[in-house]
Amino acid sequence: MNEGAKATSLNQLGYGLYVIGSKFGEELNGMTANWVTQTSFEPPLVAISIESDSHTRKLIDGGQVFSVNIIEDSEEGRAIIAKYVKPQKPYRNKLGDEDFTTNLTGTPLLAGAISWFECEVVQTLETGDHQLYLGRVVGAGVQQADAVPLTLKRMGWDYGG
Ligand SMILES: Cc1cc2nc3c(=O)[nH]c(=O)nc-3n(C[C@H](O)[C@H](O)[C@H](O)COP(=O)(O)O)c2cc1C
């Protein structure tokens, strides 16, 4: 395979940029992710791919729930994405100074998100260096219907290839 072409073409896939919320027991967390896509209308299903050695993976494996926070294409939105790229260790409680609520699943729903949905995991696929979680959407909320969602391209970062 042409490795350069593989990296370039995979990086040319179009992505949004989100904060994945997780919960296991009393512990909550948030992390930035772009590998997120809807996979079914009925039932409403969404797939997310999570680094095998991340803290988020441990929480989703344990709690079997996650949220997807959609972030605005704005200075404030970029700051949220930059904050949640940090690993849980050594930063520990990334949500400590965050304004958020919870709903049916208990996962964090950021006040700074333009909309959110929350899922219950229906299937997990152990793949390579990431775990693929298929979640059924069980709750959703909209805080700014007209806002423009941030994309990976607009952020100017890469995660792929
Ligand atoms: C642009 C960008 C996109 C990312 N997308 C993902 C992703 O889709 N899945 C993932 O597991 N990690 C992704 N990451 C990496 C995580 O945000 C990062 O490993 C984070 O520190 C994990 O947080 P945690 O330790 O709280 O779980 C991405 C990082 C960047 C910079």
Side-chain angles (χ1 to χ4, degrees):
M1 178 164 55
N2 179 331
E3 289 294 325
K6 181 204 72 174
T8 300
S9 57
L10 288 176
N11 273 313
Q12 285 178 342
L13 285 168
Y15 291 110
L17 210 42
Y18 313 99
V19 176
I20 303 295
S22 52
K23 176 188 195 315
F24 179 37
E26 295 306 304
E27 188 178 357
L28 303 180
N29 194 31
M31 64 158 268
T32 292
N34 66 314
W35 288 355
V36 174
T37 187
Q38 183 168 1
T39 64
S40 164
F41 285 120
E42 194 52 51
L45 299 174
V46 169
I48 63 170
S49 190
I50 301 295
E51 287 176 0
S52 304
D53 59 0
S54 67
H55 194 67
T56 294
R57 183 257 174 116
K58 290 189 192 121
L59 298 192
I60 298 178
D61 277 349
Q64 294 292 296
V65 286
F66 63 86
S67 57
V68 177
N69 291 273
I70 292 101
I71 304 300
E72 187 178 17
D73 186 347
S74 65
E75 203 175 311
E76 294 76 15
R78 280 160 220 255
I80 292 173
I81 289 299
K83 173 180 176 184
Y84 286 96
V85 159
K86 295 174 182 171
Q88 192 268 349
K89 287 186 181 125
Y91 294 96
R92 295 285 170 193
N93 191 2
K94 283 183 266 182
L95 288 161
D97 59 354
E98 193 71 58
D99 186 5
F100 67 92
T101 57
T102 60
N103 189 47
L104 299 172
T105 63
T107 53
L109 312 167
L110 306 189
I114 58 179
S115 64
W116 53 261
F117 55 86
E118 56 185 337
C119 296
E120 291 172 356
V121 174
V122 294
Q123 214 164 314
T124 302
L125 191 59
E126 303 222 346
T127 51
D129 50 19
H130 283 61
Q131 309 294 304
L132 187 66
Y133 296 97
L134 193 61
R136 184 188 177 113
V137 179
V138 294
V142 176
Q143 295 168 152
Q144 287 176 258
D146 297 332
V148 176
L150 185 57
T151 64
L152 186 62
K153 187 89 178 160
R154 286 273 300 167
M155 187 75 182
W157 290 356
D158 281 339
Y159 192 84

